[in-house]
Amino acid sequence: MSLKGTPQKSETWLFGFRQMDYRITISEVPSGRPYLLLLLNVEQHTIQAVQIAPQAPSAGEARDFISEAILHPAPGASTPAHRPSLIVFEDAGLMEAIEPWLSKNGIAAALQEKAGVIDEISAQISDHLSDEPPDIMPLIDVPGVTPE
């Protein structure tokens, strides 16, 4: 799938994924700890795309995730569909497998060690999705009153 017709901006995006801390059941897939896939815009400090998957992404799944983020930005994104000039990966195997497709679409690829920002966002989303009560105490405490 070619992305060459999509405008390109001088931006760096960061692709990473983490296994989440809780177990879920997705349709007919056995219960397990899902993976959070993230694509971050480094310059704008925004999330370009997020997805929860039952397993770590294959090269094809990562490519499709990136392509979807380029062609259909997340709701509320401040910029219309566009390609970055560089995508940074934490996983060397995925980067090597996707790099020819990226290159064909005019996007450079680079490798870096695990990014703390991916860990932070993953932890925040995992906390938000868990059944545990929040760490923040409520502003009021009235018997019988609930957030619902």
Side-chain angles (χ1 to χ4, degrees):
M1 137 186 11
S2 177
L3 303 172
K4 285 257 184 179
T6 308
Q8 188 167 38
K9 292 187 176 187
S10 180
E11 293 179 343
T12 299
W13 291 2
L14 172 63
F15 173 79
F17 60 93
R18 298 290 186 275
Q19 190 168 26
M20 303 192 72
D21 293 332
Y22 64 91
R23 301 184 78 74
I24 64 167
T25 301
I26 301 174
S27 303
E28 305 199 3
V29 176
S31 152
R33 288 178 47 213
Y35 283 80
L36 180 70
L37 283 63
L38 287 167
L39 191 59
L40 308 177
N41 185 318
V42 175
E43 283 83 13
Q44 293 188 14
H45 306 285
T46 57
I47 297 174
Q48 288 296 128
V50 62
Q51 179 180 331
I52 296 176
Q55 71 275 334
S58 66
E61 291 165 338
R63 183 194 64 230
D64 291 347
F65 176 70
I66 292 167
S67 178
E68 183 67 19
I70 289 170
L71 296 172
H72 306 285
S78 59
T79 58
H82 66 282
R83 294 173 292 145
S85 55
L86 172 68
I87 297 181
V88 176
F89 292 82
E90 299 175 319
D91 185 288
L94 279 179
M95 186 195 78
E96 290 170 5
I98 296 173
E99 197 278 330
W101 173 78
L102 289 172
S103 179
K104 191 167 42 173
N105 285 289
I107 303 169
L111 185 65
Q112 79 166 40
E113 304 256 337
K114 284 200 170 191
V117 67
I118 299 282
D119 291 329
E120 291 171 25
I121 293 171
S122 178
Q124 289 175 5
I125 291 174
S126 192
D127 287 347
H128 178 72
L129 295 175
S130 76
D131 291 334
E132 299 295 317
D135 292 337
I136 301 170
M137 295 301 295
L139 296 176
I140 61 171
D141 188 9
V142 178
V145 175
T146 64
E148 291 83 33

